[in-house]
Short mmCIF file of all heavy atoms in Angstrom, two decimals:
data_model
loop_
_atom_site.label_atom_id
_atom_site.label_comp_id
_atom_site.label_asym_id
_atom_site.label_seq_id
_atom_site.Cartn_x
_atom_site.Cartn_y
_atom_site.Cartn_z
N MET A 236 0.85 -1.20 0.00
CA MET A 236 0.00 0.00 0.00
C MET A 236 0.88 1.25 0.00
O MET A 236 1.90 1.29 0.68
CB MET A 236 -0.92 -0.01 1.22
CG MET A 236 -2.02 1.03 1.14
SD MET A 236 -3.39 0.74 2.30
CE MET A 236 -2.57 0.98 3.87
N ASN A 237 0.48 2.24 -0.78
CA ASN A 237 1.24 3.49 -0.84
C ASN A 237 0.41 4.66 -0.31
O ASN A 237 -0.80 4.55 -0.14
CB ASN A 237 1.66 3.78 -2.27
CG ASN A 237 2.79 2.87 -2.71
OD1 ASN A 237 2.63 1.66 -2.74
ND2 ASN A 237 3.93 3.43 -3.01
N CYS A 238 1.08 5.77 -0.09
CA CYS A 238 0.43 6.97 0.42
C CYS A 238 -0.66 7.43 -0.55
O CYS A 238 -0.39 7.58 -1.74
CB CYS A 238 1.47 8.07 0.61
SG CYS A 238 0.77 9.66 1.01
N PRO A 239 -1.88 7.65 -0.06
CA PRO A 239 -2.96 8.11 -0.95
C PRO A 239 -2.77 9.55 -1.43
O PRO A 239 -3.39 9.97 -2.40
CB PRO A 239 -4.21 7.99 -0.08
CG PRO A 239 -3.73 8.01 1.32
CD PRO A 239 -2.32 7.47 1.31
N VAL A 240 -1.89 10.29 -0.76
CA VAL A 240 -1.68 11.70 -1.12
C VAL A 240 -0.60 11.83 -2.20
O VAL A 240 -0.81 12.46 -3.24
CB VAL A 240 -1.30 12.54 0.13
CG1 VAL A 240 -1.04 13.99 -0.27
CG2 VAL A 240 -2.39 12.46 1.17
N CYS A 241 0.57 11.19 -1.96
CA CYS A 241 1.70 11.40 -2.88
C CYS A 241 2.25 10.09 -3.44
O CYS A 241 3.24 10.11 -4.16
CB CYS A 241 2.81 12.17 -2.17
SG CYS A 241 3.70 11.18 -0.97
N GLN A 242 1.65 8.96 -3.09
CA GLN A 242 2.10 7.63 -3.55
C GLN A 242 3.45 7.22 -2.97
O GLN A 242 4.09 6.30 -3.46
CB GLN A 242 2.16 7.56 -5.10
CG GLN A 242 0.86 7.92 -5.79
CD GLN A 242 -0.31 7.06 -5.33
OE1 GLN A 242 -0.19 5.85 -5.24
NE2 GLN A 242 -1.43 7.68 -5.00
N GLY A 243 3.91 7.91 -1.92
CA GLY A 243 5.18 7.56 -1.28
C GLY A 243 5.07 6.27 -0.48
O GLY A 243 3.98 5.70 -0.34
N GLN A 244 6.21 5.82 0.03
CA GLN A 244 6.25 4.60 0.84
C GLN A 244 5.69 4.86 2.22
O GLN A 244 5.97 5.88 2.84
CB GLN A 244 7.71 4.13 0.98
CG GLN A 244 8.26 3.44 -0.25
CD GLN A 244 7.64 2.06 -0.46
OE1 GLN A 244 7.45 1.32 0.50
NE2 GLN A 244 7.32 1.74 -1.69
N LEU A 245 4.90 3.89 2.72
CA LEU A 245 4.36 3.99 4.06
C LEU A 245 5.19 3.13 5.00
O LEU A 245 5.70 2.08 4.61
CB LEU A 245 2.90 3.52 4.10
CG LEU A 245 1.89 4.32 3.29
CD1 LEU A 245 0.55 3.60 3.28
CD2 LEU A 245 1.72 5.72 3.87
N ARG A 246 5.37 3.57 6.23
CA ARG A 246 5.99 2.72 7.24
C ARG A 246 5.15 2.82 8.51
O ARG A 246 4.47 3.81 8.75
CB ARG A 246 7.44 3.13 7.51
CG ARG A 246 7.55 4.56 8.03
CD ARG A 246 8.97 4.92 8.39
NE ARG A 246 9.03 6.32 8.84
CZ ARG A 246 8.67 6.72 10.05
NH1 ARG A 246 8.26 5.85 10.94
NH2 ARG A 246 8.73 7.99 10.38
N SER A 247 5.19 1.76 9.32
CA SER A 247 4.39 1.78 10.54
C SER A 247 5.12 2.59 11.61
O SER A 247 6.34 2.56 11.72
CB SER A 247 4.11 0.37 11.04
OG SER A 247 5.30 -0.36 11.13
N GLY A 248 4.34 3.33 12.37
CA GLY A 248 4.92 4.17 13.41
C GLY A 248 3.83 4.70 14.32
O GLY A 248 2.74 4.13 14.40
N LYS A 249 4.15 5.80 15.00
CA LYS A 249 3.18 6.44 15.87
C LYS A 249 3.21 7.94 15.63
O LYS A 249 4.27 8.49 15.34
CB LYS A 249 3.51 6.14 17.34
CG LYS A 249 3.22 4.71 17.72
CD LYS A 249 3.53 4.42 19.16
CE LYS A 249 3.13 3.00 19.51
NZ LYS A 249 3.37 2.66 20.91
N THR A 250 2.04 8.54 15.76
CA THR A 250 1.98 9.98 15.56
C THR A 250 0.85 10.57 16.40
O THR A 250 0.06 9.84 16.99
CB THR A 250 1.78 10.32 14.07
OG1 THR A 250 1.95 11.72 13.89
CG2 THR A 250 0.40 9.90 13.59
N SER A 251 0.80 11.88 16.45
CA SER A 251 -0.25 12.54 17.23
C SER A 251 -1.54 12.62 16.42
O SER A 251 -1.50 12.79 15.21
CB SER A 251 0.18 13.96 17.62
OG SER A 251 1.32 13.89 18.43
N TYR A 252 -2.65 12.48 17.12
CA TYR A 252 -3.97 12.61 16.50
C TYR A 252 -4.58 13.88 17.08
O TYR A 252 -4.80 13.98 18.29
CB TYR A 252 -4.81 11.38 16.88
CG TYR A 252 -6.03 11.15 16.03
CD1 TYR A 252 -6.15 10.00 15.26
CD2 TYR A 252 -7.09 12.06 16.02
CE1 TYR A 252 -7.29 9.76 14.49
CE2 TYR A 252 -8.22 11.83 15.25
CZ TYR A 252 -8.31 10.68 14.49
OH TYR A 252 -9.43 10.44 13.74
N THR A 253 -4.83 14.85 16.24
CA THR A 253 -5.33 16.15 16.71
C THR A 253 -6.81 16.28 16.36
O THR A 253 -7.21 16.01 15.23
CB THR A 253 -4.55 17.29 16.04
OG1 THR A 253 -3.16 17.08 16.28
CG2 THR A 253 -4.95 18.63 16.62
N ILE A 254 -7.59 16.67 17.35
CA ILE A 254 -9.03 16.83 17.17
C ILE A 254 -9.43 18.23 17.61
O ILE A 254 -9.15 18.63 18.74
CB ILE A 254 -9.80 15.79 18.00
CG1 ILE A 254 -9.42 14.37 17.58
CG2 ILE A 254 -11.31 16.00 17.89
CD1 ILE A 254 -9.45 13.39 18.72
N SER A 255 -10.07 18.97 16.73
CA SER A 255 -10.61 20.28 17.09
C SER A 255 -12.12 20.21 17.00
O SER A 255 -12.68 19.99 15.92
CB SER A 255 -10.08 21.36 16.14
OG SER A 255 -8.82 21.76 16.56
N ARG A 256 -12.76 20.35 18.14
CA ARG A 256 -14.21 20.27 18.20
C ARG A 256 -14.75 21.58 18.73
O ARG A 256 -14.01 22.40 19.28
CB ARG A 256 -14.66 19.13 19.13
CG ARG A 256 -14.07 17.79 18.76
CD ARG A 256 -14.82 17.11 17.67
NE ARG A 256 -16.11 16.64 18.16
CZ ARG A 256 -16.95 15.93 17.41
NH1 ARG A 256 -16.63 15.65 16.18
NH2 ARG A 256 -18.09 15.53 17.90
N ASN A 257 -16.06 21.73 18.61
CA ASN A 257 -16.71 22.90 19.17
C ASN A 257 -16.67 22.77 20.70
O ASN A 257 -17.39 21.97 21.26
CB ASN A 257 -18.16 22.96 18.67
CG ASN A 257 -18.76 24.34 18.89
OD1 ASN A 257 -18.04 25.28 19.24
ND2 ASN A 257 -20.05 24.45 18.70
N GLY A 258 -15.79 23.51 21.35
CA GLY A 258 -15.76 23.46 22.81
C GLY A 258 -14.51 22.86 23.40
O GLY A 258 -14.23 23.04 24.57
N TYR A 259 -13.73 22.13 22.63
CA TYR A 259 -12.45 21.62 23.14
C TYR A 259 -11.54 21.22 21.99
O TYR A 259 -11.97 20.99 20.87
CB TYR A 259 -12.66 20.44 24.10
CG TYR A 259 -13.27 19.20 23.48
CD1 TYR A 259 -12.47 18.23 22.89
CD2 TYR A 259 -14.64 19.01 23.50
CE1 TYR A 259 -13.02 17.10 22.32
CE2 TYR A 259 -15.20 17.88 22.94
CZ TYR A 259 -14.39 16.93 22.35
OH TYR A 259 -14.95 15.82 21.79
N HIS A 260 -10.25 21.15 22.32
CA HIS A 260 -9.24 20.74 21.36
C HIS A 260 -8.39 19.67 22.02
O HIS A 260 -8.01 19.82 23.17
CB HIS A 260 -8.39 21.93 20.93
CG HIS A 260 -9.22 23.07 20.45
ND1 HIS A 260 -9.66 23.18 19.16
CD2 HIS A 260 -9.75 24.11 21.12
CE1 HIS A 260 -10.40 24.27 19.06
NE2 HIS A 260 -10.49 24.84 20.24
N LEU A 261 -8.14 18.61 21.30
CA LEU A 261 -7.51 17.44 21.90
C LEU A 261 -6.37 16.96 21.03
O LEU A 261 -6.49 16.88 19.82
CB LEU A 261 -8.59 16.35 22.03
CG LEU A 261 -8.25 15.06 22.73
CD1 LEU A 261 -8.05 15.29 24.21
CD2 LEU A 261 -9.39 14.07 22.52
N ILE A 262 -5.24 16.66 21.68
CA ILE A 262 -4.13 16.04 20.95
C ILE A 262 -3.79 14.74 21.67
O ILE A 262 -3.44 14.75 22.85
CB ILE A 262 -2.89 16.97 20.91
CG1 ILE A 262 -3.23 18.29 20.21
CG2 ILE A 262 -1.74 16.26 20.19
CD1 ILE A 262 -2.17 19.36 20.42
N ILE A 263 -3.93 13.63 20.99
CA ILE A 263 -3.57 12.33 21.55
C ILE A 263 -2.21 11.93 20.97
O ILE A 263 -2.08 11.82 19.75
CB ILE A 263 -4.63 11.26 21.22
CG1 ILE A 263 -6.03 11.75 21.60
CG2 ILE A 263 -4.32 9.96 21.93
CD1 ILE A 263 -7.14 10.86 21.07
N ASP A 264 -1.22 11.74 21.84
CA ASP A 264 0.13 11.37 21.38
C ASP A 264 0.23 9.87 21.15
O ASP A 264 -0.53 9.08 21.72
CB ASP A 264 1.17 11.79 22.43
CG ASP A 264 1.33 13.29 22.49
OD1 ASP A 264 1.11 13.95 21.46
OD2 ASP A 264 1.67 13.79 23.58
N ASP A 265 1.20 9.48 20.34
CA ASP A 265 1.57 8.07 20.15
C ASP A 265 0.43 7.18 19.68
O ASP A 265 0.23 6.09 20.21
CB ASP A 265 2.16 7.51 21.46
CG ASP A 265 3.49 8.16 21.80
OD1 ASP A 265 4.15 8.65 20.87
OD2 ASP A 265 3.85 8.18 22.99
N VAL A 266 -0.34 7.65 18.72
CA VAL A 266 -1.39 6.82 18.12
C VAL A 266 -0.74 6.01 16.99
O VAL A 266 -0.07 6.57 16.12
CB VAL A 266 -2.54 7.69 17.56
CG1 VAL A 266 -3.61 6.82 16.92
CG2 VAL A 266 -3.15 8.54 18.68
N PRO A 267 -0.92 4.66 16.99
CA PRO A 267 -0.33 3.85 15.93
C PRO A 267 -0.91 4.21 14.57
O PRO A 267 -2.12 4.38 14.43
CB PRO A 267 -0.72 2.41 16.31
CG PRO A 267 -1.20 2.48 17.72
CD PRO A 267 -1.69 3.87 17.95
N ALA A 268 -0.04 4.33 13.57
CA ALA A 268 -0.49 4.70 12.22
C ALA A 268 0.56 4.31 11.20
O ALA A 268 1.72 4.05 11.54
CB ALA A 268 -0.72 6.21 12.15
N LEU A 269 0.13 4.24 9.95
CA LEU A 269 1.09 4.15 8.84
C LEU A 269 1.43 5.58 8.45
O LEU A 269 0.54 6.41 8.28
CB LEU A 269 0.46 3.41 7.66
CG LEU A 269 0.15 1.92 7.90
CD1 LEU A 269 -0.67 1.38 6.76
CD2 LEU A 269 1.43 1.13 8.09
N ILE A 270 2.72 5.85 8.33
CA ILE A 270 3.15 7.23 8.05
C ILE A 270 3.95 7.25 6.76
O ILE A 270 4.83 6.42 6.55
CB ILE A 270 3.99 7.76 9.23
CG1 ILE A 270 3.16 7.74 10.52
CG2 ILE A 270 4.48 9.18 8.95
CD1 ILE A 270 3.98 7.75 11.78
N CYS A 271 3.62 8.20 5.90
CA CYS A 271 4.30 8.33 4.61
C CYS A 271 5.72 8.86 4.83
O CYS A 271 5.91 9.85 5.53
CB CYS A 271 3.52 9.28 3.71
SG CYS A 271 4.36 9.59 2.13
N GLU A 272 6.71 8.19 4.22
CA GLU A 272 8.10 8.64 4.37
C GLU A 272 8.35 9.92 3.60
O GLU A 272 9.30 10.64 3.89
CB GLU A 272 9.05 7.54 3.87
CG GLU A 272 9.12 6.37 4.81
CD GLU A 272 10.11 5.31 4.36
OE1 GLU A 272 10.49 5.33 3.17
OE2 GLU A 272 10.48 4.46 5.19
N GLN A 273 7.51 10.21 2.62
CA GLN A 273 7.74 11.36 1.75
C GLN A 273 7.05 12.63 2.27
O GLN A 273 7.68 13.65 2.45
CB GLN A 273 7.23 11.04 0.35
CG GLN A 273 7.90 11.81 -0.74
CD GLN A 273 7.70 11.12 -2.08
OE1 GLN A 273 8.47 10.24 -2.45
NE2 GLN A 273 6.65 11.51 -2.76
N CYS A 274 5.72 12.55 2.52
CA CYS A 274 4.98 13.75 2.91
C CYS A 274 4.54 13.71 4.38
O CYS A 274 3.93 14.65 4.86
CB CYS A 274 3.76 13.97 2.00
SG CYS A 274 2.41 12.80 2.26
N HIS A 275 4.85 12.60 5.07
CA HIS A 275 4.57 12.45 6.51
C HIS A 275 3.09 12.46 6.84
O HIS A 275 2.70 12.68 7.98
CB HIS A 275 5.32 13.50 7.33
CG HIS A 275 6.80 13.49 7.08
ND1 HIS A 275 7.60 12.45 7.46
CD2 HIS A 275 7.59 14.38 6.42
CE1 HIS A 275 8.85 12.70 7.06
NE2 HIS A 275 8.86 13.86 6.43
N GLU A 276 2.26 12.23 5.85
CA GLU A 276 0.82 12.13 6.07
C GLU A 276 0.54 10.82 6.83
O GLU A 276 0.98 9.76 6.39
CB GLU A 276 0.10 12.13 4.72
CG GLU A 276 -1.40 12.08 4.78
CD GLU A 276 -2.03 13.40 5.21
OE1 GLU A 276 -1.34 14.43 5.20
OE2 GLU A 276 -3.22 13.38 5.56
N PRO A 277 -0.17 10.89 7.95
CA PRO A 277 -0.48 9.65 8.66
C PRO A 277 -1.75 8.99 8.13
O PRO A 277 -2.69 9.66 7.71
CB PRO A 277 -0.68 10.13 10.10
CG PRO A 277 -1.16 11.53 9.96
CD PRO A 277 -0.62 12.07 8.66
N LEU A 278 -1.73 7.66 8.15
CA LEU A 278 -2.90 6.88 7.75
C LEU A 278 -3.25 6.02 8.96
O LEU A 278 -2.54 5.06 9.27
CB LEU A 278 -2.53 6.02 6.54
CG LEU A 278 -3.65 5.60 5.60
CD1 LEU A 278 -4.17 6.79 4.83
CD2 LEU A 278 -3.15 4.54 4.64
N PHE A 279 -4.33 6.38 9.64
CA PHE A 279 -4.69 5.67 10.86
C PHE A 279 -5.45 4.39 10.54
O PHE A 279 -6.23 4.35 9.58
CB PHE A 279 -5.52 6.57 11.79
CG PHE A 279 -4.74 7.75 12.29
CD1 PHE A 279 -4.90 9.00 11.72
CD2 PHE A 279 -3.84 7.61 13.32
CE1 PHE A 279 -4.16 10.09 12.17
CE2 PHE A 279 -3.10 8.68 13.79
CZ PHE A 279 -3.26 9.93 13.20
N THR A 280 -5.25 3.36 11.35
CA THR A 280 -5.97 2.11 11.14
C THR A 280 -7.43 2.30 11.55
O THR A 280 -7.76 3.19 12.34
CB THR A 280 -5.37 0.97 11.98
OG1 THR A 280 -5.63 1.25 13.35
CG2 THR A 280 -3.88 0.83 11.75
N GLU A 281 -8.29 1.42 11.02
CA GLU A 281 -9.72 1.49 11.36
C GLU A 281 -9.93 1.35 12.86
O GLU A 281 -10.76 2.02 13.46
CB GLU A 281 -10.49 0.38 10.64
CG GLU A 281 -10.95 0.76 9.25
CD GLU A 281 -11.73 -0.37 8.60
OE1 GLU A 281 -12.56 -0.98 9.28
OE2 GLU A 281 -11.48 -0.65 7.41
N ASP A 282 -9.16 0.44 13.48
CA ASP A 282 -9.29 0.22 14.92
C ASP A 282 -8.97 1.48 15.71
O ASP A 282 -9.67 1.84 16.66
CB ASP A 282 -8.36 -0.91 15.38
CG ASP A 282 -8.91 -2.28 14.98
OD1 ASP A 282 -10.09 -2.35 14.60
OD2 ASP A 282 -8.15 -3.25 15.06
N ALA A 283 -7.89 2.16 15.31
CA ALA A 283 -7.50 3.38 16.02
C ALA A 283 -8.57 4.46 15.86
O ALA A 283 -8.94 5.14 16.82
CB ALA A 283 -6.16 3.88 15.50
N VAL A 284 -9.10 4.60 14.64
CA VAL A 284 -10.11 5.62 14.38
C VAL A 284 -11.38 5.33 15.19
O VAL A 284 -11.98 6.23 15.77
CB VAL A 284 -10.43 5.70 12.87
CG1 VAL A 284 -11.64 6.59 12.61
CG2 VAL A 284 -9.22 6.22 12.10
N ARG A 285 -11.76 4.04 15.23
CA ARG A 285 -12.97 3.67 15.97
C ARG A 285 -12.83 4.01 17.45
O ARG A 285 -13.73 4.56 18.07
CB ARG A 285 -13.26 2.18 15.79
CG ARG A 285 -14.67 1.80 16.21
CD ARG A 285 -14.96 0.32 16.03
NE ARG A 285 -14.50 -0.19 14.75
CZ ARG A 285 -13.65 -1.22 14.59
NH1 ARG A 285 -13.19 -1.85 15.63
NH2 ARG A 285 -13.28 -1.62 13.40
N LEU A 286 -11.66 3.68 18.00
CA LEU A 286 -11.42 3.94 19.42
C LEU A 286 -11.43 5.44 19.71
O LEU A 286 -12.02 5.90 20.70
CB LEU A 286 -10.08 3.32 19.83
CG LEU A 286 -9.94 2.90 21.28
CD1 LEU A 286 -11.00 1.90 21.67
CD2 LEU A 286 -8.56 2.32 21.53
N VAL A 287 -10.80 6.21 18.85
CA VAL A 287 -10.76 7.66 19.04
C VAL A 287 -12.18 8.23 18.96
O VAL A 287 -12.56 9.10 19.76
CB VAL A 287 -9.85 8.34 17.99
CG1 VAL A 287 -10.05 9.84 17.97
CG2 VAL A 287 -8.38 8.01 18.29
N GLN A 288 -13.00 7.70 18.03
CA GLN A 288 -14.38 8.19 17.91
C GLN A 288 -15.20 7.88 19.17
O GLN A 288 -16.02 8.68 19.58
CB GLN A 288 -15.04 7.59 16.67
CG GLN A 288 -14.61 8.31 15.40
CD GLN A 288 -15.09 7.64 14.14
OE1 GLN A 288 -15.48 6.47 14.16
NE2 GLN A 288 -15.05 8.36 13.03
N GLN A 289 -14.92 6.73 19.78
CA GLN A 289 -15.60 6.39 21.04
C GLN A 289 -15.20 7.38 22.13
O GLN A 289 -16.02 7.82 22.92
CB GLN A 289 -15.26 4.97 21.46
CG GLN A 289 -16.01 3.91 20.68
CD GLN A 289 -15.53 2.50 21.03
OE1 GLN A 289 -14.73 2.31 21.93
NE2 GLN A 289 -16.01 1.53 20.28
N MET A 290 -13.89 7.71 22.17
CA MET A 290 -13.41 8.67 23.17
C MET A 290 -14.09 10.02 22.98
O MET A 290 -14.50 10.67 23.94
CB MET A 290 -11.89 8.84 23.05
CG MET A 290 -11.11 7.61 23.48
SD MET A 290 -9.38 7.67 22.95
CE MET A 290 -8.74 8.95 24.01
N ILE A 291 -14.23 10.44 21.72
CA ILE A 291 -14.83 11.74 21.42
C ILE A 291 -16.30 11.78 21.85
O ILE A 291 -16.77 12.78 22.39
CB ILE A 291 -14.71 12.08 19.92
CG1 ILE A 291 -13.24 12.30 19.56
CG2 ILE A 291 -15.52 13.30 19.55
CD1 ILE A 291 -13.00 12.43 18.08
N ARG A 292 -17.02 10.67 21.61
CA ARG A 292 -18.43 10.64 22.01
C ARG A 292 -18.58 10.86 23.51
O ARG A 292 -19.45 11.60 23.96
CB ARG A 292 -19.08 9.31 21.59
CG ARG A 292 -19.62 9.36 20.17
CD ARG A 292 -20.65 8.26 19.93
NE ARG A 292 -20.03 6.94 19.92
CZ ARG A 292 -19.45 6.39 18.85
NH1 ARG A 292 -19.43 7.06 17.71
NH2 ARG A 292 -18.91 5.21 18.91
N GLY A 293 -17.71 10.22 24.31
CA GLY A 293 -17.73 10.42 25.76
C GLY A 293 -17.39 11.85 26.13
O GLY A 293 -18.04 12.46 26.98
N LEU A 294 -16.39 12.39 25.43
CA LEU A 294 -15.97 13.76 25.73
C LEU A 294 -17.05 14.78 25.36
O LEU A 294 -17.27 15.74 26.09
CB LEU A 294 -14.68 14.09 24.96
CG LEU A 294 -13.39 13.60 25.59
CD1 LEU A 294 -12.23 13.78 24.62
CD2 LEU A 294 -13.10 14.35 26.88
N ASP A 295 -17.72 14.55 24.24
CA ASP A 295 -18.79 15.47 23.81
C ASP A 295 -19.86 15.58 24.89
O ASP A 295 -20.33 16.67 25.21
CB ASP A 295 -19.42 14.98 22.51
CG ASP A 295 -18.61 15.41 21.29
OD1 ASP A 295 -17.75 16.29 21.42
OD2 ASP A 295 -18.84 14.84 20.21
N ALA A 296 -20.26 14.43 25.44
CA ALA A 296 -21.30 14.42 26.47
C ALA A 296 -20.83 15.15 27.71
O ALA A 296 -21.55 15.97 28.29
CB ALA A 296 -21.67 12.98 26.82
N ARG A 297 -19.59 14.89 28.13
CA ARG A 297 -19.03 15.54 29.32
C ARG A 297 -18.87 17.04 29.09
O ARG A 297 -19.08 17.86 29.98
CB ARG A 297 -17.67 14.94 29.67
CG ARG A 297 -17.76 13.51 30.16
CD ARG A 297 -18.46 13.45 31.49
NE ARG A 297 -18.54 12.09 31.99
CZ ARG A 297 -19.57 11.61 32.68
NH1 ARG A 297 -20.60 12.36 32.93
NH2 ARG A 297 -19.55 10.38 33.11
N ARG A 298 -18.48 17.38 27.88
CA ARG A 298 -18.26 18.80 27.56
C ARG A 298 -19.58 19.56 27.68
O ARG A 298 -19.61 20.68 28.16
CB ARG A 298 -17.67 18.92 26.14
CG ARG A 298 -17.39 20.34 25.70
CD ARG A 298 -16.33 20.98 26.59
NE ARG A 298 -16.19 22.40 26.31
CZ ARG A 298 -16.97 23.34 26.82
NH1 ARG A 298 -17.94 23.01 27.64
NH2 ARG A 298 -16.76 24.60 26.54
N GLN A 299 -20.66 18.90 27.25
CA GLN A 299 -21.98 19.54 27.33
C GLN A 299 -22.40 19.71 28.79
O GLN A 299 -22.92 20.75 29.17
CB GLN A 299 -23.01 18.71 26.59
CG GLN A 299 -23.51 19.43 25.36
CD GLN A 299 -24.54 18.62 24.60
OE1 GLN A 299 -24.74 17.44 24.88
NE2 GLN A 299 -25.17 19.22 23.64
N GLU A 300 -22.17 18.67 29.58
CA GLU A 300 -22.48 18.75 31.02
C GLU A 300 -21.72 19.90 31.64
O GLU A 300 -22.26 20.65 32.46
CB GLU A 300 -22.05 17.45 31.72
CG GLU A 300 -23.08 16.35 31.72
CD GLU A 300 -22.57 15.14 32.48
OE1 GLU A 300 -22.11 15.33 33.64
OE2 GLU A 300 -22.59 14.04 31.94
N LEU A 301 -20.43 20.03 31.28
CA LEU A 301 -19.58 21.06 31.85
C LEU A 301 -20.12 22.45 31.58
O LEU A 301 -20.17 23.31 32.46
CB LEU A 301 -18.17 20.92 31.26
CG LEU A 301 -17.09 21.81 31.85
CD1 LEU A 301 -16.83 21.46 33.31
CD2 LEU A 301 -15.80 21.67 31.04
N SER A 302 -20.64 22.67 30.36
CA SER A 302 -21.13 24.00 30.00
C SER A 302 -22.43 24.33 30.71
O SER A 302 -22.85 25.48 30.74
CB SER A 302 -21.30 24.09 28.49
OG SER A 302 -22.29 23.19 28.06
N LEU A 303 -23.09 23.32 31.29
CA LEU A 303 -24.38 23.55 31.97
C LEU A 303 -24.23 23.79 33.46
O LEU A 303 -25.21 24.05 34.16
CB LEU A 303 -25.32 22.35 31.73
CG LEU A 303 -25.75 22.14 30.28
CD1 LEU A 303 -26.55 20.86 30.15
CD2 LEU A 303 -26.55 23.34 29.78
N ILE A 304 -23.00 23.70 33.97
CA ILE A 304 -22.78 23.93 35.40
C ILE A 304 -23.05 25.40 35.71
O ILE A 304 -22.45 26.28 35.08
CB ILE A 304 -21.34 23.55 35.81
CG1 ILE A 304 -21.16 22.03 35.72
CG2 ILE A 304 -21.03 24.05 37.21
CD1 ILE A 304 -19.73 21.58 35.98
N PRO A 305 -23.97 25.66 36.63
CA PRO A 305 -24.26 27.06 36.96
C PRO A 305 -23.14 27.67 37.79
O PRO A 305 -22.53 27.01 38.62
CB PRO A 305 -25.56 26.97 37.76
CG PRO A 305 -25.57 25.58 38.32
CD PRO A 305 -24.77 24.72 37.41
N VAL A 306 -22.88 28.93 37.53
CA VAL A 306 -21.86 29.65 38.30
C VAL A 306 -22.54 30.86 38.95
O VAL A 306 -23.13 31.67 38.26
CB VAL A 306 -20.70 30.14 37.40
CG1 VAL A 306 -19.69 30.90 38.23
CG2 VAL A 306 -20.05 28.96 36.70
N ALA A 307 -22.47 30.88 40.28
CA ALA A 307 -23.09 32.00 40.99
C ALA A 307 -22.24 32.35 42.21
O ALA A 307 -21.58 31.48 42.76
CB ALA A 307 -24.50 31.63 41.43
N ILE A 308 -22.27 33.57 42.55
CA ILE A 308 -21.54 34.02 43.75
C ILE A 308 -22.43 33.84 44.98
O ILE A 308 -23.61 34.20 44.92
CB ILE A 308 -21.08 35.50 43.60
CG1 ILE A 308 -20.08 35.62 42.46
CG2 ILE A 308 -20.48 36.00 44.92
CD1 ILE A 308 -19.75 37.04 42.09
ZN1 ZN B 427 2.76 10.86 1.05
#
C-alpha cells in the first residue's frame, strides 16, 4: 500500500492525533499509524479511528455537562 496523497512509501509508526471540536481541542500522542516517508501524512488504522471516535463521544457528552454547570456568587 502506498500513500494516498503522494504515492510515497508507508511505514508503521506512531503519531499525534489532533481533534478540534466545538468546545475543546484534543491532541492524543503516540497513536499507531502508517506514516508516509515522503509527505509524513499519517494513515490511521480502522481500529485506532474507531477507538478515538468512542473517546470523542464520551468527551462530547461531558463537555456539554460542563457547560451547563451554573456559576453564581
Ligand atoms: Zn505521502
